[in-house]
Amino acid sequence: MLLLALDTATPAVTVALHDGSRAIAASHQVDARRHGELLLPAVDRVLAEAGVELGAVTGFVVGVGPGPYTGLRVGLATAAAFAAATGAPVHGLCTLDGIAYAAGQAGLDGPFTVATDARRKEVYWARYADPRTRLTEPAVDRPAEIAERVAGVPAVGAGALLYREAFPDVPDGMPEHQSAAALAALAAEKLAAGEEFPPPLPLYLRRPDAQVPANYKVVTPQ
């Protein structure tokens, strides 16, 4: 098994190659504005470090979000292109699930909340019973609106760090952004157990900013 995992749903441009037991190469850069510029060079570095050609990869793992529109689509489109070129399958995974799994690797058991920065003074979030068990569907909300729903449990992720008034218990040493190595490890575990994956399609929780104006005036000739 050789899984190439990538995720661009958070400010991290993160790539890892996993052999079914461990990550054998990884790249992690945090830059919220350069996903498209950084992703392919990161893939090249990871494959070169491992001494593996893209055609030897047996499966691709991609974070499906939730995340900002542009960054999220960079990773999904790249994974789809790799799959089309190699014939290997693409496995989608919720980005929040990857962060939860990484929190487990860092020593957090559960229950807890994962919250990432959704911008516009909002967070993408979900509750977890443990690093492998999500209790709620991913959602986007203002931190103050969910403070009571996440009270009493620790929280991890950039959103939790940004809004400490709603997430007062953020343990030290927990992941802030996505880790492709953790995402790949979670996928390897799910594959070994014969579990199903969500489709590799973007998980959007907001309507697009660009919309056709109301009362749009038609100017084409009659």
Side-chain angles (χ1 to χ4, degrees), residues 74-163:
V74 169
L76 287 161
T78 300
F82 288 161
T86 64
V90 181
H91 307 292
L93 279 177
C94 174
T95 295
L96 301 179
D97 291 356
I99 297 174
Y101 191 85
Q105 292 180 320
L108 189 60
D109 187 13
F112 59 88
T113 299
V114 174
T116 61
D117 182 15
R119 304 173 188 173
R120 305 181 194 172
K121 299 181 179 180
E122 294 179 328
V123 292
Y124 297 118
W125 69 282
R127 284 283 303 269
Y128 290 80
D130 57 58
R132 283 277 271 116
T133 309
R134 178 157 37 89
L135 296 173
T136 64
E137 290 299 314
V140 58
D141 290 289
R142 289 184 178 273
E145 296 172 347
I146 61 171
E148 291 186 4
R149 298 166 65 184
V150 301
V153 297
V156 302
L161 290 168
L162 191 59
Y163 299 103

